[in-house]
Amino acid sequence: MKAKLLLILVTLFSIPAFSQDATKVFDEVKTVNIRSSGVIKKNNVVKGYYNFYEFDKVDRKTRIFKLNLLDENLNSLGTKEIEGPKEWELVSSGFDGNNFCFKFWNEKEKTFELKVYDQQAKEVNSITTKINYKPSGMKYTQFKQGVSPELGIVENSGFVNYVYNDPNDAFIINYAGASGQKSWDHTYEPEGKSRIMFPTYLNGNNDIILTAVTKIERGMYSFKTQNSLVANSVKDGAELFDLPTEFDGNYVVPVNAVFEDGKIIVIGLNYKQAKTFTTPPDGFAFLELDKTGKLLKSNFKTFDESLGKYLTIENGKLDGGYFLYIHDIVKTKNNTNIVIAEKFKKPGGSGALSALGAMTGGSFVSLQLENMVVIEYDKNGNVVQAQEIQKAKGTTNSFPSYSGFLSPYLLATAAKFMGWMDYMYTMKSDDNSEITFSFVDYDKLDNDAKKTKNFGQIRYKNGKFTSDKIAIKKEKATWSAILPAKTNHVIQVSYFKKDKKLTMDMIKLNN
Amino acid sequence: MKHFPKPHILPFVIAVVAFSMSVFIAKGQKNKPVAIPKQYAYTDIESYTVFLNKTVKDDANSFEKKYQKDYLKIISEKNTDLLKDLSERKFLFDSAVYPYLNSVFLHILQKNSLDAGRFHFFVNRTSNVNAYSYEEGTIVCNLGLLNIMENESQVAMVFCHELGHYLLKHVNNSIISQLETYNSSEFLVRVKKIKKQEYNSKKQLEELYKSDVFNRRKHNRSQERAADSLGIALFRNTGYNGTNIAHIFDLLEAAENSPATGVLQSFFKQENMAVADNLFRPSKKMSFSDTRKEETDSLKTHPDCAVRKIAMKNNFDSHGKIGLDYEIANASKFSELKKQALFEEAAFSKENDNLSYYFYQLVQMNTLYPDNYFIKSEIFDTLLSFCIHQKKHQLYAVVSNQYIPDDDKDEYAILLKLIDNIDLGELIAITNKYYTSHKSQINASAEAINNLNHLNN
């Protein structure tokens, strides 16, 4: 995103020059092109925002950039001047509780660079990885769709990034440590080959980094998967264990992990077959491992037996032929787990074409989306409560006609990768006492109102689920957008063309 | 930000006018008379406008021709802003605080044989701890300054300091000095040279600008010391007591580093309102700079308070002459006027839709005057207003979170955190509780009761 912005450059520029010439000259200093802006998160907690902009040319190849950080209330925290290649783009950021990390992409050199700064804006660590694949290649495109560009945050101990590795269709883990710690990269080299692998950062502490790996088997139409839990040493990246998560016919896709009393507690989706991409999950898995990856305890609960008390569910399907797509699982302060899911179905069954597609001679497939569902599980996998949160029925964008024969769950997974589902993101407070799930809704906010595009929030606090919605577009604004913000808030950015005015309002939700 | 939420300390500020402020009134547009309550209406605005226009022209003509256009532009913008503030109820012309402070000011002029016709004196309603002077002889005292002063002699010393700035022509000297710099061949050649460069031009311009700002601030600091010296000389002629004057700097410092008083938590506890302690807990402070403090210090317009305090103390000690703490009022009257000023500052916050700061002020006032019915009614109204705005998702319109506290114990930051954390249901419960506890003391309108009932349903 490139936007012309007149920055408020701290106190330094609060007194402009008098003379017109001097004013003009100094205004040039103040006028900048924003290269990128974004949210700084510590896992699911918004800690602030960054603006990255080009300030000056050092020589033909090098630029002076400025990195301006704002806190969660949009107060400026400071600006750092950095020299770098002119091709630099800031891709993502993170905060580990002590340090900030920024992930840069150098288009010319084809490198990713993680730079770690302490709170005095001093660079304390960095690591550069040159990619070994073609960014336009099909396999990388798939990898990019399935792997989050966000940094994994190791509490007070550094940052994790995953880079595609072409030679073995796997990936490289980058770790940029905090001050005084080593940075390293480690190439994941499992036994046997797969068509593609998707790493997901689960958690990390000052000993290990946990990654969930989904491997899709080779073969044009095979969607059989193998899942495993990989642990690397924070110290040097050495692989501590690579544990396949198939246990006596239970195929587990790890979604979340926490460290408790020297043990690793993993929460995942449980499947009765090795097609975790194409079939709906049958339930949840709760695993307890020791530090070496030895399974100490396991508990598998099917939806039919656990969720059936709260929602009519049979063979993974809800009333009306809906499936549940599980977006996230988050551990609460009370040691329970909250699951956020979205109801969806493929209208008319397998291979159905949309009416529009049929009329125009083309053939399109889209998924029908319905309510959000939140479920709270205790640590033994028993449902504490489950609730449907109303949202208007909608459809995803259309898939190509050849997608018609694909299973609804595979289409949902693809829709999720492409950001077509209504679920937006999960946020929480530092201590997990509050958890919020956001979604898009296209309904009336009041009985008398027209249908609008709305931002919806489900909040879990004090053991209760509540929800609230606001219209995304501010009245009279030319356009508005919503940005993630501190707990129970969103930032509504609105542009008023007539007044040439951009406003940013920190809106507190009511639930 | 509409209004600085916390007493912001710029002790004895020289008003080098707000050059960067946007001019909201188009050129040539006249200020339309609006119905302003008597206590905020300046009756002599027409003659004051004529005075400002004449003074700016006379002053401009006294400078070299090449600077006149820029000078006129700067001062005209300042005058426009000042007149706009006067027409927007930002100054106080009541029948108690204003006449009193004006009398102190006139007393100083009289004792120093200065022509009162050359000066204008205003009282700004803001709670910012500050006083300032303009180039044409307008001296302004903020209500926030009065509230931290212990007696009349201290107020008089601040006015003497501001008069010092005016008499030493600090504003005009600064403007002309800067115009000289920007129009000097040395500066212009340097800018031209930098602009011709393909690389590092912005960086060098930034350095040039920084060094210019540093020089100006350094110059301003020397002006502050000069204004202190002349201020002391003027003060000596007034008959006021000088023994307590150096203590002003302690008061300024104390106001800047507001101590943790626990007033908010005490208030909720006293009202038996169940507000969990964790709702008051501020977030862990983050930073992304180590040069900020260093630069801020270098950019200060004022010399260090401790240094000024010692200089002032030595001066008064070496020329010991005991005067009076009060020439116009007495301690009891002074205390009563400070109370009025406190209510006025709060009203100003409310008028500016800064309800979070208004609530903060009300709670502090409630501690000082626990039996005051007006405060009780306003606390109820403000809590209700928070509920209504929150319900409409418009709390941001009356609560500004853009505030960086000096420390984690800052009371206003704690209040902002509470407003951030508290749920609508809890807020309504608190409002109900407060109304029930003080029903007989609250003068609630039918509309307010209706709104409360609506929220409860």
Side-chain angles (χ1 to χ4, degrees), chain B residues 188-229:
Chain B
L188 294 172
V189 166
R190 207 168 152 198
V191 168
K192 206 173 169 183
K193 196 176 159 192
I194 292 172
K195 287 199 80 184
K196 268 187 180 173
Q197 290 176 6
E198 193 179 350
Y199 301 116
N200 285 314
S201 61
K202 272 194 171 183
K203 178 84 186 149
Q204 286 185 51
L205 282 174
E206 188 187 50
E207 290 303 322
L208 182 67
Y209 192 25
K210 266 189 194 177
S211 89
D212 179 53
V213 174
F214 285 143
N215 288 340
R216 266 188 278 147
R217 298 291 167 100
K218 200 175 158 189
H219 179 64
N220 286 344
R221 288 200 291 275
S222 73
Q223 287 189 336
E224 290 305 316
R225 283 189 285 269
D228 274 352
S229 297

Side-chain angles (χ1 to χ4, degrees), chain B residues 6-201:
Chain B
K6 182 196 165 193
H8 178 60
I9 314 301
L10 291 170
F12 307 7
V13 157
I14 175 173
V16 188
V17 294
F19 303 110
S20 62
M21 281 180 71
S22 312
V23 180
F24 294 103
I25 300 171
K27 278 179 186 172
Q29 186 184 331
K30 286 180 183 171
N31 293 323
K32 289 179 187 170
V34 285
I36 300 176
K38 201 179 162 189
Q39 69 268 34
Y40 308 130
Y42 183 43
T43 49
D44 290 334
I45 195 142
E46 281 182 19
S47 60
Y48 184 56
T49 308
V50 171
F51 164 79
L52 291 177
N53 290 339
K54 184 178 181 309
T55 312
V56 66
K57 280 180 194 158
D58 290 348
D59 282 354
N61 287 334
S62 69
F63 303 128
E64 280 187 61
K65 197 157 186 173
K66 59 182 176 183
Y67 304 137
Q68 287 180 4
K69 196 178 158 193
D70 281 335
Y71 178 83
L72 274 170
K73 187 172 179 281
I74 293 160
I75 301 299
S76 299
E77 281 184 12
K78 176 228 97 183
N79 288 346
T80 306
D81 289 340
L82 181 56
L83 291 168
K84 182 172 172 277
D85 286 351
L86 275 165
S87 65
E88 287 183 349
R89 307 157 61 131
K90 288 190 178 163
F91 294 95
L92 182 68
F93 299 99
D94 67 338
S95 55
V97 178
Y98 173 71
Y100 167 65
L101 291 172
N102 194 36
S103 298
V104 175
F105 183 68
L106 291 173
H107 174 78
I108 298 164
L109 297 183
Q110 190 205 342
K111 292 292 177 184
N112 284 285
S113 305
L114 291 165
D115 175 11
R118 286 163 62 189
F119 298 93
H120 292 85
F121 178 80
F122 296 141
V123 175
N124 191 311
R125 297 170 66 202
T126 175
S127 55
N128 295 350
V129 179
N130 200 6
Y132 49 98
S133 59
Y134 290 112
E135 88 297 342
E136 26 59 31
T138 299
I139 310 290
V140 182
C141 172
N142 289 354
L143 284 178
L145 181 86
L146 174 63
N147 260 314
I148 67 155
M149 296 287 106
E150 291 173 332
N151 56 43
E152 197 177 292
S153 64
Q154 291 175 341
V155 174
M157 180 61 220
V158 176
F159 293 173
C160 288
H161 171 93
E162 293 309 322
L163 275 169
H165 279 307
Y166 167 73
L167 294 170
L168 294 166
K169 298 183 189 317
H170 281 163
V171 176
N172 279 347
N173 287 347
S174 296
I175 294 172
I176 295 305
S177 157
Q178 198 168 1
L179 288 176
E180 280 170 354
T181 305
Y182 288 155
N183 287 286
S184 68
S185 54
E186 186 196 355
F187 180 85
L188 294 172
V189 166
R190 207 168 152 198
V191 168
K192 206 173 169 183
K193 196 176 159 192
I194 292 172
K195 287 199 80 184
K196 268 187 180 173
Q197 290 176 6
E198 193 179 350
Y199 301 116
N200 285 314
S201 61

Side-chain angles (χ1 to χ4, degrees), chain A residues 189-205:
Chain A
E189 292 176 296
E191 285 176 18
K193 292 206 167 181
S194 320
R195 184 146 53 101
I196 186 92
M197 288 180 208
F198 298 116
T200 305
Y201 176 75
L202 291 181
N203 208 344
N205 61 17

Side-chain angles (χ1 to χ4, degrees), chain B residues 423-457:
Chain B
D423 292 341
L424 178 61
E426 292 168 317
L427 196 55
I428 294 171
I430 282 173
T431 311
N432 277 320
K433 171 82 179 155
Y434 192 80
Y435 181 65
T436 312
S437 303
H438 301 283
K439 206 169 180 176
S440 61
Q441 298 161 302
I442 291 170
N443 181 19
S445 66
E447 191 191 356
I449 300 302
N450 199 22
N451 282 332
L452 186 62
N453 290 335
H454 185 67
L455 285 164
N456 284 322
N457 295 329

